[in-house]
Amino acid sequence: MSLNPSTFLNQERNQKLKRNFECLKNSQQQTASSLQDNPLQNLQLASWEVLEKAQKSGRSKCPRCGSSRMFYCYSCYVPVETVPTKEIPVVKLPLKIDVIKHPNETDGKSTAVHAKLLAPEDVTIYTYPCIPDYEEKRHEIALIFPGPNSISVKDIILHLEKNVSCGSDDDSSSEPFLKKAKIETKEDRNLSECKSNSRSEDTVLKRVIFIDSTWNQTNKIITDERLQGLLQIELKTRKTCFWRQQKGKPDTYLSTIEAIYYFLVDYHQEVLKESYKGHYDNLLFFFSFMYTLIKNAKNSAGKE
């Protein structure tokens, strides 16, 4: 039985399409699996070469206190001698970050130091009960912590605009209505621009606070009277990659550096209204390297 040439070509074309579809499907599954295995692999990071060399040479001295450390000193917040500061990326943040660390939080296990190392001009770490006085500027400060009154990052502008509107001393509504159109002078325009710029400044956060502790230790800090009345922000649900996951807690409990990073990514897109192009990825410079090291070690040991 002979096949019609056109029929044969259609069958061959269909088989080719089917094979292409299967290849694409397998490729997508492999990509999804790869992302699941290492969700940090698409970050735009500086070269790890300096960390790889330091890892091979072993522990080194802290240039300040002389303690033996790996990669950085978690007490002095500086890289060790085998990790030149000039080879560590510096990240510029759109606002200031205060980290309040629980006194019982083990320094060597905390990831908050990563933020201080990589954004030294914008990050300050305090050990509780040492907390700055936020009273006079609480209208431009937010606390990153879930709660019944917390808002999402995308609602920050709306919340701040509402506060500015409610707290405005502008009594222009009491002025008599003028029938004749007012001719705007150059001085009027300059004044209007100044008011506009001032209002824009009032609707942008200047500082955010993160608590660095286990979830079981947070209550002592979060109930401190000095943090009461601050705007509270709750982050989107994301899975942690932290290798020291808290016992009995879900994998949505982020490490401090993850929380800082994800907040900034959301803030950049939702509040600054700018396209995100890896601006803060290097905040995970140390974290992602250590995650990869530990994951590879587990794979080699057959613990995965």
Side-chain angles (χ1 to χ4, degrees):
M1 180 179 176
S2 60
L3 288 175
N4 186 298
S6 61
T7 303
F8 177 78
L9 290 173
N10 286 336
Q11 288 180 346
E12 188 177 23
R13 187 182 298 113
N14 290 337
Q15 289 177 353
K16 187 176 181 180
L17 288 172
K18 186 177 180 180
R19 286 195 298 269
N20 289 341
F21 175 76
E22 290 297 329
C23 289
L24 180 61
K25 184 178 178 181
N26 291 336
S27 176
Q28 290 174 337
Q29 289 175 342
Q30 289 173 359
T31 300
S33 176
S34 179
L35 284 172
Q36 189 174 12
D37 290 341
N38 186 1
L40 306 175
Q41 66 180 358
N42 288 333
L43 296 174
Q44 298 180 39
L45 299 172
S47 172
W48 283 345
E49 184 178 358
V50 63
L51 298 182
E52 290 168 346
K53 288 181 179 178
Q55 195 261 332
K56 289 178 181 178
S57 62
R59 298 167 74 88
S60 180
K61 285 186 178 181
C62 167
R64 290 188 184 175
C65 68
S67 298
S68 177
R69 301 280 191 254
M70 178 64 82
F71 304 128
Y72 56 81
C73 179
Y74 45 75
S75 302
C76 302
Y77 310 142
V78 294
V80 294
E81 293 176 350
T82 54
V83 181
T85 303
K86 63 181 181 180
E87 295 186 42
I88 299 299
V90 176
V91 185
K92 181 61 182 172
L93 308 185
L95 34 66
K96 301 298 182 182
I97 288 179
D98 287 352
V99 177
I100 301 175
K101 188 171 76 70
H102 194 281
N104 294 338
E105 182 72 5
T106 305
D107 290 342
K109 294 182 179 180
S110 171
T111 61
V113 63
H114 296 180
K116 180 61 179 175
L117 283 162
L118 298 163
E121 294 183 2
D122 298 317
V123 177
T124 306
I125 299 178
Y126 300 93
T127 300
Y128 188 83
C130 295
I131 297 180
D133 183 8
Y134 297 117
E135 184 63 35
E136 293 183 3
K137 296 185 177 182
R138 59 179 55 245
H139 62 283
E140 58 187 36
I141 300 171
L143 173 65
I144 310 302
F145 198 82
N149 298 319
S150 61
I151 65 171
S152 64
V153 174
K154 66 185 175 80
D155 291 329
I156 290 176
I157 293 180
L158 184 64
H159 178 88
L160 295 179
E161 284 180 343
K162 182 179 179 182
N163 282 356
V164 170
S165 177
C166 291
S168 175
D169 294 325
D170 184 7
D171 59 354
S172 58
S173 59
S174 62
E175 294 180 359
F177 176 73
L178 300 177
K179 291 184 179 180
K180 291 184 179 180
K182 181 180 177 181
I183 299 175
E184 187 179 46
T185 63
K186 182 178 180 181
E187 289 76 12
D188 290 331
R189 285 195 297 272
N190 290 338
L191 180 61
S192 178
E193 289 176 3
C194 287
K195 287 183 177 179
S196 176
N197 291 336
S198 176
R199 174 150 300 194
S200 177
E201 285 292 310
D202 288 336
T203 55
V204 177
L205 288 177
K206 303 291 180 59
R207 186 177 302 274
V208 290
I209 304 167
F210 290 83
I211 296 176
D212 184 41
S213 73
T214 64
W215 282 94
N216 293 332
Q217 296 172 337
T218 56
N219 188 61
K220 184 176 182 180
I221 299 177
I222 198 66
T223 55
D224 190 289
E225 62 180 4
R226 291 167 291 179
L227 297 181
Q228 304 311 301
L230 291 175
L231 170 65
Q232 279 188 225
I233 297 173
E234 185 169 357
L235 301 179
K236 292 179 183 177
T237 300
R238 291 183 171 96
K239 288 187 177 182
T240 184
C241 290
F242 196 31
W243 47 93
R244 292 193 181 102
Q245 191 172 329
Q246 296 178 40
K247 188 176 180 180
K249 301 299 180 183
D251 59 4
T252 53
Y253 280 29
L254 302 175
S255 65
T256 302
I257 191 62
E258 287 176 300
I260 292 173
Y261 169 73
Y262 286 126
F263 166 77
L264 289 169
V265 172
D266 292 344
Y267 185 83
H268 193 88
Q269 296 171 314
E270 302 287 356
V271 179
L272 301 183
K273 301 296 183 183
E274 296 179 16
S275 175
Y276 184 72
K277 298 178 180 178
H279 300 72
Y280 318 117
D281 284 9
N282 272 321
L283 285 177
L284 298 178
F285 178 72
F286 289 105
F287 184 88
S288 58
F289 179 76
M290 294 166 75
Y291 169 86
T292 302
L293 272 184
I294 293 168
K295 187 172 182 61
N296 289 343
K298 285 182 177 180
N299 287 339
S300 298
K303 295 181 180 180
E304 192 65 7

